[in-house]
Amino acid sequence: MHPTPTDGTRAGLADEFRRVRALTEHLCEPLAIEDYGLQVVPEASPPKWHLAHVSWFYETFLLMPSLDGYRPFDPRFAHLFNSYYEQTGSGFWPRAERGLLSRPRVEEVYDYRRHVDTAMLRLIECCDAERWPRVELRLRIGLNHEQQHQELLLTDIKRNLAHNPLRPAYRADLAAPAPGAPEPLNWVSFDGGLVEIGAGAEGFAYDNERPRHRVFLEPFALADRLVSNAEFLAFVEDGGYHDPAHWLSDGWARVRAEGWEAPLYWERVDGRWQTLTLGGMRPLDPAEPVCHLSYYEADAYASWAGKSLPTEAQWEHAAAGVALAGNFLDSGLLHPRPARGSGIRQLFGDLWEWTASAYLAYPGYRAPGGAIGEYNGKFMCNQMVLRGGSCVSSRDHLRLSYRNFFYPHERWQFKGFRLAEVE
Amino acid sequence: MHPTPTDGTRAGLADEFRRVRALTEHLCEPLAIEDYGLQVVPEASPPKWHLAHVSWFYETFLLMPSLDGYRPFDPRFAHLFNSYYEQTGSGFWPRAERGLLSRPRVEEVYDYRRHVDTAMLRLIECCDAERWPRVELRLRIGLNHEQQHQELLLTDIKRNLAHNPLRPAYRADLAAPAPGAPEPLNWVSFDGGLVEIGAGAEGFAYDNERPRHRVFLEPFALADRLVSNAEFLAFVEDGGYHDPAHWLSDGWARVRAEGWEAPLYWERVDGRWQTLTLGGMRPLDPAEPVCHLSYYEADAYASWAGKSLPTEAQWEHAAAGVALAGNFLDSGLLHPRPARGSGIRQLFGDLWEWTASAYLAYPGYRAPGGAIGEYNGKFMCNQMVLRGGSCVSSRDHLRLSYRNFFYPHERWQFKGFRLAEVE
Amino acid sequence: MHPTPTDGTRAGLADEFRRVRALTEHLCEPLAIEDYGLQVVPEASPPKWHLAHVSWFYETFLLMPSLDGYRPFDPRFAHLFNSYYEQTGSGFWPRAERGLLSRPRVEEVYDYRRHVDTAMLRLIECCDAERWPRVELRLRIGLNHEQQHQELLLTDIKRNLAHNPLRPAYRADLAAPAPGAPEPLNWVSFDGGLVEIGAGAEGFAYDNERPRHRVFLEPFALADRLVSNAEFLAFVEDGGYHDPAHWLSDGWARVRAEGWEAPLYWERVDGRWQTLTLGGMRPLDPAEPVCHLSYYEADAYASWAGKSLPTEAQWEHAAAGVALAGNFLDSGLLHPRPARGSGIRQLFGDLWEWTASAYLAYPGYRAPGGAIGEYNGKFMCNQMVLRGGSCVSSRDHLRLSYRNFFYPHERWQFKGFRLAEVE
Amino acid sequence: MHPTPTDGTRAGLADEFRRVRALTEHLCEPLAIEDYGLQVVPEASPPKWHLAHVSWFYETFLLMPSLDGYRPFDPRFAHLFNSYYEQTGSGFWPRAERGLLSRPRVEEVYDYRRHVDTAMLRLIECCDAERWPRVELRLRIGLNHEQQHQELLLTDIKRNLAHNPLRPAYRADLAAPAPGAPEPLNWVSFDGGLVEIGAGAEGFAYDNERPRHRVFLEPFALADRLVSNAEFLAFVEDGGYHDPAHWLSDGWARVRAEGWEAPLYWERVDGRWQTLTLGGMRPLDPAEPVCHLSYYEADAYASWAGKSLPTEAQWEHAAAGVALAGNFLDSGLLHPRPARGSGIRQLFGDLWEWTASAYLAYPGYRAPGGAIGEYNGKFMCNQMVLRGGSCVSSRDHLRLSYRNFFYPHERWQFKGFRLAEVE
Ligand SMILES: [Fe+3]
Ligand SMILES: [Fe+3]
Ligand SMILES: [Fe+3]
Ligand SMILES: [Fe+3]
């Protein structure tokens, strides 16, 4: 699957479109009809909503403005399946109530997808040359957008099923590796200095990765792998969740208000730690990277360990020479795996890494105009940057300069962290 | 359908059991799989939950204690499908989160029903004579319980679908009568005096209808029919929802907090009032009794009209000589119909009537012991009595002495009211 | 102090007015300036607010309509010191925010009282004969209203100071009797039958006590005294607050949500129960009537004890032949005292008694028109009736037919209960 | 007043201590006793609490550990007047309930201050040489801490009095300048490059200002003065508060949830804008810098104007060559004043300036150990940096490297902003 295909022909893009659309539906195959509408918390949207929303995106930003004579599948869907675009004029159904709609039915949502698919392929084929550059750019955004929702589809399914005391698995057939011990953690040093980060002018990138710009870094070191379950368990067993000395003030308030005792999905059953995966409950593997934790927990661990988290500039500088490879959605594991080998690793794939950087504009950043400009810029407050992709990200969706962002308390994504140190 | 069959044989009861069970499933036939899990407000449970809960009731109060060797379909269901019985030991899944469970799937819930059906019929057939009296009593309670949930099934489906802006109908094939003008309202006088109300010792009745006892009534008069949409509209158009002078203090607070402007399901579309029914949106019929309102609205209207609401003793005394007939679930209309004819009417069926009586124990009332004793007694606070049944109640579920009860702000049941006056 | 003086002359009423006004201020003498503005929960208003509100009542219902040329002290006070009268046109400052006003200062509120006092005495003296009957009636209502607020002043001071971990006493000089054992509890039987309750047409009474009417009572028995701390402690120690079997459903929800373990103001210090009084912390006296509990707790105790609570009709019938005497505000104890002597006692004074009756209109009740009609009628929903007055009620404020009412969860008034039984 | 006195002798410090303590009390002189306990929102603490809390700080961090034989004024005050230090062992009274304590009385809090003053002066005089360096450092922190609370005292008094519809002024005698037109806004360019920011190793600074470190800046320009009321009014009148296109997502949510239509304290009276000051209501002066707005509003304005906000590094670099002078608390105006003159100005004083920088650790930052280490580090999440001090900051409390921080929605401090641009 290649949303940024090398040949760049319309036929190549049409092919890409078909593959991205098919993967979304493939990911839904293990679901029961009953699972499609489920939303147990505001942030974890129902699968049905994701299926429809990514289609609405093409309809709104491509078909309506650029395909002459296009008629929307159902004009009322604009209101139901807009996520947060204030400027499209439709308004949007409240995020927290996406699970309160039994209609359109699942089958109707798949009909909607078919309707959009047909029109999109016609647009790709028939669009005149004048309009094509804008169509092509928006199509690439649309494909990347759908890939982001493929990741959310899986994280949201995990979250929504986890609420059920019957503990249903998304896929009962996933292979579970034998638990083991983590490899030793080593440190890798970097000189820092005046470095460049961000996406250059060429190629596809989101607006928030630009402009490429210079940053000065003091000498620093990074851990060569993610923090493991074994290491995080030592923090838990040292009373880490009960000692405010380690925590940010807002983090401690959250620990108390929500009764956190361990990362999300950890459960102590008969005195032994287990964790919920997309393949069901499993014993906690000490060697695996610790997963599903908030920025607050990552920061508290770092504080307890006398270290810090990397900034996004440190991370990007360190990752600049590393091959963009790892345990992505493409591996089919749907779960992080233990670090193996040597040298700095797990920078890409396995888990998104919390950085110590707030999600803010790069110097000289300007959000694009219009509703599509709401994609990234309007979230530049109160969130922290994560880097590197996860075991449920598509490899070809990622870039070295890719900036993900979440609120510091959020835990339901596949997130972990790596230690850093300024010398 | 006769939950209290006249022959009283086991075969008759088995037959009755089959008919009640079948009706529940019949009511679900128009549903899509997606509708079964829907719950948009805490009080309106998903159809799937009702289907399972009524089965759990038999399992818990009949099969587990009285059928030797019975094995529950899934022991975890006790927690999921208990409604509020604190003393069964299972605890219960939070009421507000009944819609947050995509599993068991609909098909599995029907399997659960089959499992319980088979065991119940064996119990009815094979129960020894010593245990039979208690089994028979609990079976009658179980059948009545399921009938109550048949009504809730319909009111909850209406409520849950109404939240959807696509305005789906539960059944698009329901006949809608032509709107008309209401018949004139007349008053019927009663002498009162020392009268008796409540269920006597014979026959099936809920505990809260007993003991039968004497009540003194001042002379009073009742309206001969329910208040109509036309009459209630006059209150609305007179600014009734904007003048605190008519309202109880708690009612006015509710009007303000929730922005009430009319009864539930009334909508003003292009300057004309419409109302949502189980058959979809319809123009408001002036002749129909006004429906889906809270006690606060009924009381405010009565206050505005210079009248009052009947007490439950007045109502029962007035209804004592009237045939228990009317527009029940059995008519298939699933909606109230205009009063026709003469004399006091609509006492039974069409709509539950709010009374001016708080739901409290009759003198000498004692709740039965054990978990089944939680059925009625523990709700004797903060609720008001409603009488007479509705267009979604089974006729043979009703009795003259039947006491329904809801919180004064609740509107989603089929409720209306009748005016009264003490002379 | 006699708000319903026997001579009935204007001079007598002026005298009465002076005495009621002086008592309010006398009750505030032990307060620090800092205490006057305190409100820790919405229901417990600050002393400053009570001082001003009762004055606003005279200003609004007597001086503005009936004293020619009267100029309000500050026209903005109408908004600040109206409690809940929707029809006066001023609106009202939110109840929960009465403690958020540091101005007017305490001294200014006393100036406001002086201003109203002067005008009121002029009105009483100079009102023409035509207006006098209405003025006289409203004056009596105003005096009774201020007496009610004298009781609230003390209950609210107790509640507000109790929030402070320094545990300040309202009056450190109150005598505390030596703890003792309760006298044995005996039962008194009543034949019931057709009896009359409510206030007759003569003399001052609130609208909600009328009309006097007939009620039929089954034979019943009442305990001859209030339930004691010793008896209630047995319920606590039997795990009463941890067993849902005893509780109304709404009561159990409240127990869980608020973590109730004992009546309000009970505290276990070093393994021994203490209770907060207006004179500070004291060891719990087993002989004293149990105090500061909700309807839910009274009902749960009765259920645990296999008894019930009296209805208001039972109570009034039983109290009809008993002298209206007991431990009122006039005793200066500001706390209930143990039952002493024999025969049915503690019906009046000591503690308001929760009844099993919802606060509803008597047959044929009509609320008076206009804003003053909001005094009682608009609260006839969701509350329960209490009878008999308390140790912080003025004796001459009470009547046999007096109906007090509170929400079933409220505990901060001086409330207890007596057991009943229908035979 | 000089908390960092040049002579550095103990006598100098004792003098400094006396002056800081006296200023706090001087600022309270205009208050009524009733004002001392007022808290209308959780973030605006009562004056009484500030008076006691700053004293508790000396008691906890200086007197208890370092003055032999010191006995606390009242050991229970540790719980009442600790703000948020989790590691002192006392716990702390909930921030939102600081206004719910009428005791200790104001007079007792002043007695507490006297008690601490006496002991502190003894400690300064008698501390042995070995302990002195730590005592001296903590004393400087304590004095700076009290200065911070002097500013909060004024912002909180403003906030708390503003809730009162009587609109009381803190000081009715403040001079109000005549409204005028703002001077033209000009831009000042900076080359950027590799610059240094932060506090060096010498002299007093908070931990969060260190270490001094290098930052690379692209060329940029800053406006030469703060944005004026006239300019911000153009945004308001252009519908700025009603167009989501300008707003951060979290900002727009806040605008909607709280109904913002203009900066805090702006009020439209009879069609003309007024604003509340510590001297009472005044007509809005077009020339004054706009004040009391959130980061969201500053950012929305910048977005509307096609500009941005400065980062803290840009700000500090630009301010490095500018004299630390301006309109501080020392001027006695207690309100910002219009920019006058030429060149870049208003960098110091008038209003804290929102920057585009999140409040995060400088590279290599380490929080000090123990409870006093909770002063700054634990707040490094979810807040934005403000720079430059305000009209209610003491001039000698400020430094070029001083970092203030607040949540982006908070408005009650004296905050404004300046536009920036990256070229
Ligand atoms: Fe999206
Ligand atoms: Fe049920
Ligand atoms: Fe009042
Ligand atoms: Fe502080």
Side-chain angles (χ1 to χ4, degrees), chain C residues 32-35 38-40 76 80 93 97 99-107 161 163-166 168, chain D residues 32-35 38-40 76 80 93 97 99-107 161 163-166 168:
Chain C
I33 297 291
E34 291 88 339
D35 298 329
L38 192 62
Q39 178 184 35
V40 307
R76 300 171 302 177
L80 293 183
W93 185 251
E97 301 196 0
L100 303 187
L101 299 171
S102 63
R103 315 293 179 93
R105 294 167 51 222
V106 172
E107 193 182 345
L161 290 180
H163 195 69
N164 194 316
L166 304 179
Chain D
I33 296 292
E34 291 88 339
D35 299 329
L38 192 62
Q39 179 184 35
V40 308
R76 300 172 301 177
L80 293 182
W93 185 251
E97 301 195 1
L100 303 187
L101 299 171
S102 62
R103 316 293 178 95
R105 293 168 49 224
V106 172
E107 192 181 346
L161 290 181
H163 195 68
N164 194 316
L166 304 179

Side-chain angles (χ1 to χ4, degrees), chain B residues 292-313:
Chain B
H292 291 300
L293 28 67
S294 63
Y295 177 76
Y296 299 133
E297 288 159 294
D299 181 85
Y301 178 90
S303 162
W304 171 81
K307 305 295 177 186
S308 62
L309 301 178
T311 63
E312 64 170 327

Side-chain angles (χ1 to χ4, degrees), chain B residues 47-368:
Chain B
K48 196 170 74 173
W49 185 88
H50 285 296
L51 286 169
H53 163 69
V54 292
S55 306
W56 165 86
F57 191 95
Y58 299 114
E59 192 171 66
T60 302
F61 294 114
L62 283 146
L63 297 174
M64 296 297 288
S66 304
L67 181 61
D68 296 333
Y70 176 76
R71 291 186 48 192
F73 181 77
D74 185 328
R76 299 171 303 178
F77 282 14
H79 180 73
L80 293 182
F81 299 122
N82 177 358
S83 49
Y84 53 67
Y85 296 82
E86 303 272 1
Q87 300 174 57
T88 61
S90 67
F92 47 84
W93 186 251
R95 185 189 191 195
E97 301 196 1
R98 289 172 185 167
L100 303 187
L101 300 171
S102 62
R103 315 292 179 92
R105 295 167 48 224
V106 171
E107 194 182 344
E108 292 166 325
V109 165
Y110 277 109
D111 289 345
Y112 179 35
R113 291 182 65 90
R114 295 292 84 77
H115 179 88
V116 166
D117 286 349
T118 305
M120 281 298 297
L121 291 169
R122 193 162 67 242
L123 174 65
I124 294 170
E125 191 183 335
C126 309
C127 177
D128 60 50
E130 192 186 351
R131 291 182 185 182
W132 177 248
R134 194 172 88 139
V135 166
E136 185 182 1
L137 173 62
R138 288 189 165 199
L139 175 55
R140 290 194 199 280
I141 294 176
L143 291 170
N144 275 277
H145 174 253
E146 185 150 357
Q147 288 186 308
Q148 286 184 274
H149 279 277
Q150 288 164 356
E151 174 153 2
L152 291 171
L153 195 52
L154 291 170
T155 58
D156 294 0
I157 289 169
K158 186 169 182 177
R159 181 70 189 82
N160 287 322
L161 290 180
H163 194 68
N164 194 316
L166 304 179
R167 292 279 175 273
Y170 161 66
R171 275 181 50 191
D173 61 335
L174 289 179
E183 294 180 344
L185 185 151
N186 297 301
W187 290 85
V188 182
S189 293
F190 296 86
D191 293 338
L194 200 58
V195 308
E196 284 202 353
I197 66 166
E202 297 303 305
F204 180 82
Y206 283 132
D207 57 356
N208 62 9
E209 302 167 44
R210 290 182 170 133
R212 187 162 175 82
H213 61 284
R214 284 165 289 180
V215 175
F216 183 80
L217 297 179
E218 305 287 343
F220 67 100
L222 295 187
D224 66 347
R225 60 162 173 76
L226 297 172
V227 171
S228 68
N229 279 334
E231 286 151 358
F232 200 82
L233 188 54
F235 171 73
V236 173
E237 292 180 343
D238 191 40
Y241 281 81
H242 296 272
D243 184 350
H246 312 311
W247 294 81
L248 287 163
S249 178
D250 289 349
W252 183 243
R254 186 68 67 162
V255 167
R256 298 284 292 270
E258 305 194 355
W260 291 355
E261 298 276 348
L264 184 63
Y265 301 138
W266 284 31
E267 270 180 63
R268 207 181 174 97
V269 181
D270 299 330
R272 295 173 54 206
W273 285 102
Q274 304 197 356
T275 191
L276 189 67
T277 73
L278 282 165
M281 292 299 293
R282 292 183 192 164
L284 192 74
D285 181 354
E288 266 176 18
V290 61
C291 184
H292 291 300
L293 28 67
S294 63
Y295 177 76
Y296 299 133
E297 288 159 294
D299 181 85
Y301 178 90
S303 162
W304 171 81
K307 305 295 177 186
S308 62
L309 301 178
T311 63
E312 64 170 327
Q314 288 171 340
W315 187 96
E316 186 169 331
H317 177 61
V322 176
L324 203 166
N327 174 20
F328 288 105
L329 176 59
D330 319 65
S331 78
L333 293 176
L334 306 184
H335 202 68
R337 69 183 164 206
R340 292 287 172 245
S342 64
I344 194 160
R345 52 207 190 283
Q346 295 184 313
L347 284 163
F348 298 106
D350 283 318
L351 297 175
W352 290 100
E353 302 183 27
W354 282 112
T355 72
S357 299
Y359 176 56
L360 293 170
Y362 283 166
Y365 167 77
R366 272 289 140 85

Side-chain angles (χ1 to χ4, degrees), chain D residues 6-7 38 41 65 70 86 95 141 191 276 284 306 361 368 378 390:
Chain D
T6 48
D7 70 358
L38 192 62
V41 286
Y70 176 75
E86 302 272 0
R95 186 188 190 194
I141 295 175
D191 294 336
L276 188 67
L284 192 72
K378 75 179 186 180
S390 82

Side-chain angles (χ1 to χ4, degrees), chain D residues 387-423:
Chain D
R387 290 300 197 103
S390 82
C391 56
V392 290
S393 315
S394 284
R395 199 211 65 80
D396 59 8
H397 177 64
L398 268 286
R399 280 171 302 281
L400 173 62
S401 58
Y402 197 101
R403 308 174 78 196
N404 201 354
F405 47 91
F406 280 94
Y407 290 98
H409 67 276
E410 292 180 323
R411 318 206 293 175
W412 92 109
Q413 297 298 301
F414 282 86
K415 298 166 189 166
F417 66 106
R418 170 189 312 272
L419 294 177
E421 188 164 44
V422 168
E423 283 147 15

Side-chain angles (χ1 to χ4, degrees), chain C residues 226-240:
Chain C
L226 296 172
V227 171
S228 68
N229 279 334
E231 285 151 358
F232 199 83
L233 188 54
F235 171 72
V236 173
E237 292 180 341
D238 191 40

Side-chain angles (χ1 to χ4, degrees), chain D residues 101-117:
Chain D
L101 299 171
S102 62
R103 316 293 178 95
R105 293 168 49 224
V106 172
E107 192 181 346
E108 291 165 327
V109 166
Y110 278 110
D111 288 346
Y112 178 37
R113 290 181 66 89
R114 292 296 82 77
H115 179 87
V116 166
D117 285 348

